[in-house]
Amino acid sequence: NAGVTQTPKFQVLKTGQSMTLQCAQDMNHNSMYWYRQDPGMGLRLIYYSASEGTTDKGEVPNGYNVSRLNKREFSLRLESAAPSQTSVYFCASSDGGGRGVFGPGTRLTVL
Amino acid sequence: EDQVTQSPEALRLQEGESSSLNCSYTVSGLRGLFWYRQDPGKGPEFLFTLYSAGEEKEKERLKATLTKKESFLHITAPKPEDSATYLCAVQADSNYQLIWGAGTKLIIKP
């Protein structure tokens, strides 16, 4: 039982490059989330998926896209990375309430 | 506007010195308030859910309490392994999303 896994753990991009962050959960949760965490700020929701086949924007969706590939997997794509997207990205899953299980995070630096 | 404020930003204690962390919130109808622990370089880990004023939850040296305006995380006789950042989040009746505080970094010195 791995919980929530994320790949990669670290990534350095140049401005304008694209990349996809992968997330998978093995707890049969319906809901999945992508957050970013910046120093001195709370976790901010980028996108979430309440169930397979649905996605919705969170607080800070600009510059990102998501895909809920199946019940287990939820990916986050940066089409044209910007320095403002330097952050730590967390994927989480839940049964729909606030009790979430988080992945270990992806530390992204955009130069 | 729904909002969560945590204080203090950082707290340094000696081992065994009890204290409390504060989470103040404004929300239009509280569905739930959540406490998480985050260790350096890791994702947040769930601790407690509180649903209504007067409710209390305990786990080892931690006890969370809730009023209509704030929640406290009481730490009794802490140990160095309790050092972490503690995060608070609320979920409103009207909104699926969690609103997070910036966290309190707790350091327990041996």
Side-chain angles (χ1 to χ4, degrees), chain B residues 29-45:
Chain B
L30 180 70
R31 175 177 292 183
L33 184 142
F34 308 89
W35 282 98
Y36 283 76
R37 169 188 171 131
Q38 186 174 23
D39 293 303
K42 296 189 177 181
E45 179 181 354

Side-chain angles (χ1 to χ4, degrees), chain A residues 31 35 37 42 90 98 100 107, chain B residues 34 36 38 41 43 46 96 100-101:
Chain A
S31 302
Y35 289 95
Q37 187 175 42
F90 288 101
R107 283 142 189 84
Chain B
F34 308 89
Y36 283 76
Q38 186 174 23
F46 171 80
Y96 192 90
W100 293 83

